[in-house]
Amino acid sequence: MLPELIINTDALSYNSQKVSELCHKNNVRLVAVTKVLCGNPKIAAIYLENGADVIGDSRIRNIIKMKESGIKGPFMLIRIPMFEEIPLVVKYVDVVLVSELDMVKEISKHAFNLRKKQKILYMVDVGDLREGVWYTKACQEIYQASKFPFVELYGIGTNLGCYGGVIPDEKRMNILVDIADQLEKKGIKVNVISGGNTSAIYLMEKDQLPPEINEYRIGEAIALGTDITNGRSFEFLRQDTFTLKSEVIELKVKPSVPEGKIGKDSMGRTPHFEDKGMRVKAIVALGEQDVASEGLIPMEDGVEILHASSDHMVLDVTECKRKIKIGDKMSFRLKYSALLRAMTSPYVEKNFNSDNGKV
Ligand SMILES: *Cc1c(COP(=O)(O)O)cnc(C)c1O
């Protein structure tokens, strides 16, 4: 059924191999992040078979789904949990990201019930303003966290480039290294410093990564071969990992500017129009329920995405070389936002394929 998302297993294997080679060359463990893939077990298996050391996901439900599908892990929960998730966290998760002492206390209590020590990765905010204890207060708070009886401080970590769009550099990374040093002086061993995500890969490429940083959590680069924060595609990775397909359901010549008084569109956006005269417009059976339209890239030259509402996507195909007809399929590449929506949308059928058309 359309819309269909075609997942290229060879391209994903390739990216996973290349990213893990780069990490391992730098003595960095690779946590391959599956949150943009709705925790798809088949893709997690590809990642683990191709060099990933750990699978990271932001949703406990995804981790449970992967485990129940036979994926061995180990698993890291990369969103700091809610209280109600703690019983599941201690049951299913190997390492959990945390940033609050009250949460660690609760985790310790539940871990005691299962007679285990729960590994925690304490997050430090070194400037991006998303999760983590602000770095000037980190040492004391993490010291306290490490003292709860049924938790084990697996390491410390940071996340950059997500909220503030802060680009990771050596200076931000060295803040983490300093905190680990201070903790070690107080007798707390910090085995793992989990420094980066996709936006920090360039530090490994340029040999600028402080050697103490020994773990990266990477999603986007493996899944898409891109790095939104730094606005680039990786030359050493493939970008043809996913293709979205749907069908043309209307094809008409219409003006480029609407007639009548213009308000907001169905998503509350104010549309803008450029008068290019009469144009050939195709409506494709795709919409915001399937995909984030601003994150789609048409695969054919001369095709422009004009607009999408919940279920209709309007394309300008005037300049397209192919003579498009009703019933034709149109294909698109996906940026991060589009992939996230397509993977999580129940309307989009997911199918696996390889370079030679077989799985
Ligand atoms: C999403 C996420 C990552 C992975 O980020 P990418 O940019 O996809 O590589 C790493 N760590 C945390 C905490 C995340 O939420």
Side-chain angles (χ1 to χ4, degrees), residues 33 35 58 78-79 97 123 130-131 158-159 162 196-199 217-221 229 336:
V33 172
K35 71 174 181 224
S58 49
I78 63 166
R79 183 176 70 186
L97 268 62
M123 293 302 278
R130 207 178 73 176
E131 75 273 49
T158 197
N159 198 53
C162 273
N197 53 22
T198 294
S199 64
R217 306 171 312 270
I218 298 179
E220 183 194 354
T229 307
Y336 194 87

Side-chain angles (χ1 to χ4, degrees), residues 16 24-25 30 40 55-56 65 84 92 114 133 145-146 178 184 187 189 246 251 254 258 266 274 287 290 305 310 322:
S16 185
H24 296 159
K25 207 174 74 185
L30 172 62
N40 188 287
I55 295 293
K65 177 172 74 181
E84 66 171 36
Y92 289 102
L114 294 187
V133 51
S146 72
D178 282 348
E184 300 215 348
K189 186 99 192 75
S246 199
L251 188 78
K254 291 189 189 179
S266 58
E274 192 188 331
D290 311 295
I305 298 172
S310 340
R322 172 161 71 118

